[in-house]
Amino acid sequence: MTYARPEPPHDPATLPPMPGWVTGRCPETPEDVAFLSGAALAHLHLVLSRGDVPQALLRERLALRAAEACAACSGRIERAPELRDAVQFLQPGDHPGPAGEIYLSWRRAVERPVSPGALHRALPELDPGQIAAWLDGSGPRGAGQAGPVSRAAAVLQTVLQAQPRADTAAMLLADAALAQALGWPHAVPLLAAGLRRRDLRADADGLRLAAHRAVAAAAAGAALEAAALSQRAARLRAVAPKLRARGAAEAVGLFLTRDAVAPPALTSLRSERAARRFCDRLVALGAVQELTGRDTFRLYGI
């Protein structure tokens, strides 16, 4: 494998780019694949430590991508806009449908620090004790003794052996195991976006190799998303002093943590009409965008 020259110096006010030799080469051997996935994770680790990155928002965006991939893997046709609608407009007592349930699982998984209890909240059909056993490596594969990506792949395989149809749960728990192994407090959805259905049916070596490939690609994508969100968040913070509405600070805080916001969710603005005007003002200032293209039942996000 040939490596590119070092990247030129970058503006310290921006997030450092992923080195070109990580993303610009096609690895030829399993050792190369593992090396590149480690390099990509090391870079993403630095990105996730940056205070200018809206971390909760980044995790929600990645959760939406993971849910979209899991829905497609299960043969469903819903994509990101439909998944957003299924969750954002839920009323008490409503059911989000199978695809919406997938998205809710991923959202709940990234909201709280990784723990069996938090993951049980995301996957209520699983026993918390079994979740804990899979995560600490006390299962038959001894996942806790492996490196981060190998540990995630082992958890993925162990869960699928126990519950062959639980693709979403397996990938979610694998990402949780990866986060634990890397010392990240929250799960960061990476594996689901890069794994294909046939990868999930591979043997242990094939699944481990596929996991390394998926992590390398997804970590690079997550770093790019973090850079874009960091710039948009800076824009929103810059225009925030121009917003004179009562409750504006709380509303801005919601945009900095949520993938999509419906005007009724901006309760600090006192009324839905005021919330709609507030969102239109943010769009006019170039701080947020309308995500649906509809005239009604709109969603906004940075």
Side-chain angles (χ1 to χ4, degrees), residues 183-260:
W184 297 347
H186 292 82
V188 179
L190 295 175
L191 284 159
L195 288 172
R196 293 163 291 188
R197 188 177 182 86
R198 66 174 178 268
D199 294 329
L200 303 181
R201 313 306 173 215
D203 60 18
D205 291 338
L207 183 56
R208 188 182 310 112
L209 183 62
H212 277 293
R213 292 186 188 278
V215 164
L224 286 175
E225 184 70 21
L229 291 177
S230 180
Q231 292 176 355
R232 295 171 196 161
R235 172 62 181 167
L236 178 56
R237 294 187 185 103
V239 305
K242 301 179 182 178
L243 306 170
R244 303 299 182 185
R246 180 178 295 181
E250 293 87 344
V252 166
L254 196 60
F255 279 106
L256 290 172
T257 58
R258 304 305 295 267
D259 162 67

Side-chain angles (χ1 to χ4, degrees), residues 35-60:
F35 176 76
L36 291 182
S37 74
L41 284 172
H43 179 86
L44 182 59
H45 184 86
L46 296 177
V47 169
L48 295 179
S49 70
R50 294 277 297 240
D52 52 343
V53 175
Q55 302 289 347
L57 173 55
L58 174 63
R59 293 195 303 272
E60 276 218 354

Side-chain angles (χ1 to χ4, degrees), residues 63-79:
L64 179 61
R65 291 183 184 177
E68 187 177 42
C70 287
C73 189
S74 66
R76 306 204 64 84
I77 63 172
E78 291 89 345
R79 295 299 178 258

Side-chain angles (χ1 to χ4, degrees), residues 66-270:
E68 187 177 42
C70 287
C73 189
S74 66
R76 306 204 64 84
I77 63 172
E78 291 89 345
R79 295 299 178 258
E82 292 80 18
L83 294 174
R84 281 191 176 115
D85 283 355
V87 170
Q88 291 293 336
F89 298 112
L90 273 179
Q91 297 298 317
D94 286 353
H95 190 279
E101 286 283 8
I102 292 173
Y103 183 27
L104 277 176
S105 291
W106 281 103
R107 277 187 47 166
R108 289 168 179 162
V110 302
E111 284 175 349
R112 301 180 181 183
V114 174
S115 71
L119 294 169
H120 174 63
R121 179 173 173 265
L123 301 166
E125 70 278 9
L126 296 182
D127 178 77
Q130 183 61 77
I131 292 174
W134 283 329
L135 289 183
D136 70 15
S138 61
R141 291 286 174 180
Q145 306 304 314
V149 178
S150 294
R151 175 180 173 182
V155 169
L156 182 60
Q157 186 174 43
T158 300
V159 176
L160 287 174
Q161 286 177 340
Q163 300 193 16
R165 298 176 63 86
D167 291 356
T168 295
M171 286 188 279
L172 192 155
L173 292 174
D175 270 324
L178 181 66
Q180 280 193 328
L182 293 166
W184 297 347
H186 292 82
V188 179
L190 295 175
L191 284 159
L195 288 172
R196 293 163 291 188
R197 188 177 182 86
R198 66 174 178 268
D199 294 329
L200 303 181
R201 313 306 173 215
D203 60 18
D205 291 338
L207 183 56
R208 188 182 310 112
L209 183 62
H212 277 293
R213 292 186 188 278
V215 164
L224 286 175
E225 184 70 21
L229 291 177
S230 180
Q231 292 176 355
R232 295 171 196 161
R235 172 62 181 167
L236 178 56
R237 294 187 185 103
V239 305
K242 301 179 182 178
L243 306 170
R244 303 299 182 185
R246 180 178 295 181
E250 293 87 344
V252 166
L254 196 60
F255 279 106
L256 290 172
T257 58
R258 304 305 295 267
D259 162 67
V261 176
L266 300 174
T267 55
S268 66
L269 297 173
R270 311 292 180 176

